[in-house]
Amino acid sequence: MSAFVLQKVIRDNLEDGYESRKRNTSAFTFLAWSSFALALLGMFIGIINLDQILSVKGYYAVTALFLTMSSFVLQKTVRDNNDDEAPASTVNTPFHSNEIKVEE
């Protein structure tokens, strides 16, 4: 979960630019980075302390890295597909609102 949140924070901040208003506060950005780091660290501490042979530990470590990488890719793909399906007037708006503004 923390990998999804971290990817969202990074992408939102890059889309908004660091000069303009950001969608995420500094506290939320810190929370995303710290939760991701703690989750990854905890997972690898668990793998290191696992009472198994080195090949089993290596398998779990590689699988954990693959799961982390694939969660970033999945989040990016889901968001890109959602942006592609949105009406043209709502894509690339500052907060990706789902409202369609109609001028009368």
Side-chain angles (χ1 to χ4, degrees):
M1 182 67 176
S2 61
F4 286 104
V5 173
L6 180 60
Q7 174 62 22
K8 177 201 173 301
V9 168
I10 291 171
R11 184 165 175 183
D12 286 349
N13 289 344
L14 286 176
E15 283 181 353
D16 292 343
Y18 289 98
E19 308 84 38
S20 64
R21 181 176 177 205
K22 295 183 188 177
R23 290 181 225 183
N24 303 306
T25 63
S26 297
F28 187 76
T29 302
F30 174 76
L31 177 69
W33 276 104
S34 61
S35 64
F36 175 74
L38 287 173
L40 201 59
L41 179 67
M43 182 173 46
F44 281 108
I45 287 173
I47 290 172
I48 289 170
N49 291 325
L50 185 64
D51 191 25
Q52 291 291 327
I53 59 176
L54 187 59
S55 63
V56 173
K57 289 181 180 183
Y59 172 77
Y60 286 138
V62 168
T63 303
L65 288 174
F66 178 70
L67 179 61
T68 303
M69 185 268 315
S70 65
S71 65
F72 280 100
V73 172
L74 176 63
Q75 195 279 337
K76 179 191 178 312
T77 303
V78 168
R79 186 161 175 186
D80 286 348
N81 289 343
N82 188 36
D83 286 349
D84 290 345
E85 292 173 2
S89 64
T90 62
V91 175
N92 294 327
T93 58
F95 294 100
H96 286 283
S97 65
N98 291 328
E99 300 175 9
I100 299 175
K101 296 179 181 178
V102 179
E103 295 181 18
E104 296 180 23

